[in-house]
Amino acid sequence: MVTISSQLPTAELQALDAAHHMHPFSTQEKLAARGARVITRGEGCWLTDSDGNRILDGMAGLWCMNIGYGRTEMADVAAKQMRELPYYNTFFMTTHVPAIALSAKLAEVAPGDLNHVFYAGSGSEANDTNIRMARVYWAQKGKPSKQIIISRKNAYHGSTIGGASLGGMTPMHEQGGLPIAGVHHIDQPNWWAEGGKMSPEEFGLERARQLEQAIHDLGEDNVAAFIAEPVQGAGGVIVPPETYWPEIQRICDKYEILLIADEVICGFGRTGNWFGSETVGWKPHIMTIAKGLTSGYQPMGASLVCDEVAAVIGACEFNHGYTYNAHPVAAAVALENIRILQDEKIVERVRNETAPYLKEKWEKMVEHPMVGEAKIVGMMGSLALTPHKESRAKFASEAGTVGYLCRERCFANSLVMRHVGDRMIISPPLVISKPEVDTLIERAWKSLDEGMAAAKKEGLWQAAS
Ligand SMILES: *Cc1c(COP(=O)(O)O)cnc(C)c1O
């Protein structure tokens, strides 16, 4: 047996990693040449790497560490559940206490009549469930032609074949024969990049009305559902103009289609409410959850389903399921996560204290010479980088070149802040304190200064014509 301890020298760990571990969304060769950063510990909002550096995690892992790292209660609950019942399935007329308790709890915290839970191992799997559930729902109602799911370009709904098809990421569609049939994409409400000469308000309406146009073009009889993230996360934290969501809801009320809110990032407090749908005023029939459901302590996703859809699906045998549906350890950990969020009033603290504090500082970053737009909702924010603010110019270099330079400077300054193209994004743990917000802002500003200097030095300070 090979045992790898974090006491091995970093270079040895990196060499073994490069030799055997294939990384997601990475160019393996490039990563191997440089060596992956080895993360060894987490505490609150802070990571430690194998060289002993302490890094402020401005991304909450991958948008998921809502309660922060290092909560021993979570470990205790997992250990207790593993001793008692490490696994059982819920396929063959069986259930178990963690599944029962978590389902009841989710029905309590979810808005409206989203009272039913179909579990999955991840957000991607839950969205695969949603595709099938929406189509089976209409077939059961005698409308089998209602098959198409409308989604948005630059949306992220996961990386399985179904999830990536729902998503609107071109680089993903280019590999492996995606998207599957029956998915239609409309444009995203990204005013900064695509608004042209329209005001944000006009643009928000125009983009929302594309949904109505698509329903007309495809035929209402052929459309099963519309899926969207309340705030696009992986697409670059795209905050739509204020006119967008009310118009979407008006259109959704008018036509007979199901609404699926992908709350994998927005759920469990990220936007300052329990769910992003509450923040944007949207009433979905199905909600995708994952990430903050367990704060990343265990892999788990789920579809929250309204009374009516659950009743229709419940009248037939739904031929769908995963071995790890409602996994007892993950369910116990999710319950403990929700207990911590509730008992410590973490969502309220975000809404009333830390998010307003972060918002004030974050929006000031628009004064940085390279920042054209600074957007933030709750604990998810973005900065659009530009060589010319007035014209909202893109850089002449390939999208992401300057963003990458800035991200490299963040790395060097011990801050995790990601780039999506030439947008910088943050999504810190919800437990971040005001002094930690100050540190985040200081390091982000410094990294932008250095990134801008590097861009100038490399001749990249040029607007696209
Ligand atoms: C991360 C994410 C997913 C996919 O979840 P996985 O657990 O990675 O499969 C789906 N939708 C959104 C909005 C996400 O951010």
Side-chain angles (χ1 to χ4, degrees):
M1 195 178 91
V2 186
T3 54
I4 310 284
S5 95
S6 59
Q7 304 307 310
L8 277 181
T10 299
E12 275 182 51
L13 291 169
Q14 289 173 328
L16 280 170
D17 185 73
H20 304 295
H21 175 198
M22 298 174 79
H23 288 249
F25 287 99
S26 304
T27 307
Q28 194 70 17
E29 242 177 52
K30 271 199 208 158
L31 180 62
R34 149 193 192 131
R37 194 166 203 170
V38 183
I39 304 298
T40 52
R41 288 193 77 82
E43 195 69 42
C45 299
W46 295 85
L47 299 165
T48 306
D49 72 13
S50 54
D51 294 329
N53 296 305
R54 275 173 51 81
I55 306 156
L56 179 59
D57 185 2
M59 283 306 299
L62 213 42
W63 322 82
C64 57
M65 270 289 155
N66 290 14
I67 63 167
Y69 299 90
R71 295 293 304 241
T72 51
E73 304 93 318
M74 299 286 273
D76 294 343
V77 160
K80 181 167 176 285
Q81 186 59 46
M82 277 198 197
R83 290 200 182 92
E84 213 168 283
L85 181 71
Y87 174 77
Y88 202 70
N89 73 76
T90 57
F91 279 39
F92 304 116
M93 294 192 268
T94 50
T95 187
H96 50 69
V97 176
I100 297 165
L102 179 60
S103 307
K105 186 50 126 181
L106 287 171
E108 175 201 314
V109 299
D113 67 347
L114 296 166
N115 290 324
H116 312 268
V117 193
F118 195 101
Y119 290 98
S122 67
S124 306
E125 286 179 17
N127 276 329
D128 280 21
T129 299
N130 295 340
I131 295 174
R132 301 193 68 203
M133 194 182 293
R135 290 173 175 173
V136 171
Y137 169 83
W138 289 115
Q140 282 297 108
K141 292 194 40 129
K143 296 185 176 174
S145 67
K146 284 172 83 70
Q147 291 274 312
I148 300 172
I149 301 178
I150 300 175
S151 179
R152 304 182 299 178
K153 292 177 188 162
N154 200 35
Y156 189 78
H157 296 301
S159 200
T160 52
I161 302 253
S165 294
L166 290 178
M169 300 279 175
T170 312
M172 294 178 78
H173 289 178
E174 282 167 358
Q175 295 177 330
L178 301 185
I180 56 169
V183 182
H184 178 85
H185 295 90
I186 59 175
D187 287 321
Q188 60 171 337
N190 182 347
W191 177 78
W192 173 265
E194 300 174 4
K197 292 202 173 8
M198 272 185 254
S199 71
E201 293 72 27
E202 289 167 343
F203 178 74
L205 288 175
E206 189 267 332
R207 286 291 151 108
R209 285 174 187 156
Q210 283 196 14
L211 174 59
E212 189 158 37
Q213 191 59 47
I215 295 169
H216 282 301
D217 293 347
L218 299 163
E220 191 181 348
D221 287 345
N222 298 317
V223 178
F226 172 59
I227 183 167
E229 301 154 85
V231 179
Q232 282 160 267
V237 185
I238 311 298
V239 182
E242 303 239 316
T243 49
Y244 183 77
W245 278 108
E247 184 67 2
I248 289 282
Q249 184 64 53
R250 179 193 71 74
I251 295 162
C252 290
D253 288 342
K254 194 167 152 192
Y255 300 93
E256 209 182 27
I257 60 171
L258 294 178
L259 314 181
I260 307 172
D262 187 337
E263 296 257 9
V264 171
I265 288 175
C266 294
F268 300 92
R270 172 106 356 241
T271 67
N273 290 299
W274 272 81
F275 294 94
S277 299
E278 296 165 308
T279 301
V280 304
W282 197 35
K283 295 186 196 68
H285 302 100
I286 299 174
M287 223 183 229
T288 322
I289 56 172
K291 295 190 172 125
L293 166 62
T294 60
S295 284
Y297 281 76
Q298 283 284 292
M300 181 177 244
S303 306
L304 300 181
V305 183
C306 73
D307 288 341
E308 210 257 328
V309 172
V312 171
I313 295 295
C316 70
E317 179 167 345
F318 187 35
N319 297 313
H320 178 70
Y322 305 111
T323 301
Y324 298 128
N325 264 63
H327 192 286
V329 177
V333 163
L335 265 174
E336 182 64 7
N337 176 58
I338 295 171
R339 185 197 66 72
I340 289 172
L341 285 170
Q342 286 186 323
D343 285 2
E344 299 179 9
K345 301 199 183 328
I346 290 172
V347 183
E348 289 86 339
R349 185 149 47 95
V350 166
R351 180 169 56 237
N352 300 325
E353 291 176 41
T354 39
Y357 186 77
L358 173 61
K359 182 179 163 80
E360 195 195 317
K361 310 228 154 194
W362 189 258
E363 287 179 345
K364 276 220 181 79
M365 305 237 340
V366 82
E367 290 166 18
H368 191 280
M370 187 164 48
V371 175
E373 174 186 75
K375 288 286 190 185
I376 188 154
V377 179
M379 286 282 166
M380 53 196 299
S382 57
L383 306 171
L385 305 182
T386 177
H388 192 253
K389 299 185 188 211
E390 289 68 32
S391 60
R392 308 208 305 272
K394 296 186 174 72
F395 288 96
S397 47
E398 192 191 335
T401 311
V402 175
Y404 180 78
L405 283 180
C406 291
R407 202 209 60 170
E408 288 289 276
R409 296 319 306 156
C410 291
F411 240 71
N413 291 320
S414 292
L415 168 69
V416 181
M417 172 159 78
R418 258 177 72 188
H419 77 108
V420 175
D422 293 321
R423 278 182 98 81
M424 305 307 294
I425 58 174
I426 56 157
S427 165
L430 304 187
V431 293
I432 192 169
S433 67
K434 288 181 181 177
E436 285 168 336
V437 166
D438 293 343
T439 304
L440 186 156
I441 298 287
E442 275 162 33
R443 290 185 183 182
W445 191 284
K446 179 166 187 268
S447 303
L448 289 180
D449 279 349
E450 294 172 4
M452 185 171 156
K456 287 189 168 162
K457 195 163 154 229
E458 294 185 24
L460 297 168
W461 194 255
Q462 279 179 42
S465 49

